[in-house]
Amino acid sequence: MPREFFARPALQVAPDLLGKVLARYTGGVTIRGRIVEAEAYTGQTDPGSHAFRGCTPRTMVMFGPPGFLYVYFTYGMHYCMNVVTDVDGVAGAVLIRALEPLDGMDEMSRRRGERPDLQLCNGPAKLCAALGVGRQENGADLEGSEIWLEDDGFIVNQVEVTTRVGLSAGDDLPFRFFIAGSRFVSGGRPAKATITRP
DNA sequence: GACCAGATTGTCT
DNA sequence: GACAATCTGGTCA
């Protein structure tokens, strides 16, 4: 995926990311999963974004150029990964919330513990654990690193839009996107009603 | 299936 | 010192 793809507002990138393939080379194996769920965080104007209160050491990556990874640690034990969007200086990001496993399920199971494919990557912290993504990957470039995105031509028929999951502010904004009918989406429920669009 | 408590530490006030 | 873009395992239907 070219860097220009990410050099757009998070609200445009998030739905476009659905159906794309996230790949990760680790432990001598390439792991792949199709993105089935994502949330947009629009930066300094978004009360739900870590970047809302400005640029800090933690949020610095989001203010940088697009096509990089923002990985944060939360609840004392979980990592979640975002793709940085928008141009340099604007703090947009898209949280990858769920994957449909395609390759390397053995490796995922080894990291996550034995469980059905449906439950390997159906949550932001789960997929980071499955791919072995942690603090070290914060700031990684999606171009020329061991994590990258592929477009295999998969066509997404219908996207559903809802409010975001787990927020205490900005939970009224319809910024969560997922592939309609996918059984691999996370169990987390949105704050309010769902909105569907063709 | 729905609801709830507990884990555990980095980050910012 | 409060709280977090979460997950898991428990209880009660």
Side-chain angles (χ1 to χ4, degrees):
Chain A
M1 306 280 313
R3 197 173 302 281
E4 305 88 69
F5 177 87
F6 306 105
R8 299 179 290 149
L11 276 173
Q12 288 180 27
V13 177
D16 285 357
L17 229 32
L18 299 180
K20 301 294 185 289
V21 175
L22 179 63
R24 158 75 158 159
Y25 181 79
T26 178
V29 182
T30 300
I31 300 172
R32 284 191 176 80
R34 191 178 309 288
I35 299 173
V36 297
E37 178 180 350
E39 283 178 358
Y41 287 87
T42 60
Q44 293 196 270
T45 58
D46 178 1
S49 172
H50 291 163
F52 183 59
R53 300 191 186 284
C55 186
T56 66
R58 181 203 203 190
T59 62
M60 190 165 45
V61 186
M62 277 197 279
F63 286 83
F68 286 77
L69 239 41
Y70 166 52
V71 180
Y72 66 87
F73 181 73
T74 191
Y75 293 107
M77 62 188 83
H78 297 303
Y79 291 97
C80 298
M81 68 183 286
N82 296 244
V83 175
V84 176
T85 65
D86 292 86
V87 294
D88 196 0
V90 180
V94 175
L95 172 70
I96 311 298
R97 286 196 56 89
L99 302 176
E100 173 180 348
L102 299 176
D103 290 323
M105 277 79 102
D106 288 349
E107 183 70 10
M108 295 188 200
S109 289
R110 198 177 65 71
R111 295 172 182 280
R112 290 258 306 126
E114 195 61 38
R115 58 186 81 234
D117 287 2
L118 272 174
Q119 294 168 26
L120 281 174
C121 299
N122 62 337
K126 296 180 189 177
L127 70 90
C128 279
L131 301 201
V133 168
R135 174 166 299 278
Q136 295 227 306
E137 282 69 32
N138 187 41
D141 193 344
L142 286 171
E143 195 167 289
S145 73
E146 297 193 337
I147 308 182
W148 65 96
L149 280 160
E150 300 172 347
D151 184 353
D152 67 351
F154 183 85
I155 305 288
V156 176
N157 290 316
Q158 190 178 1
V159 173
E160 298 223 36
V161 185
T162 72
T163 55
R164 294 174 294 187
V165 174
L167 302 191
S168 55
D171 61 350
D172 53 338
L173 302 169
F175 287 1
R176 172 178 181 244
F177 305 88
F178 61 95
I179 296 179
S182 173
R183 298 160 61 225
F184 293 88
V185 301
S186 76
R189 281 209 310 292
K192 301 200 173 158
T194 69
I195 304 162
T196 307
R197 72 174 202 190

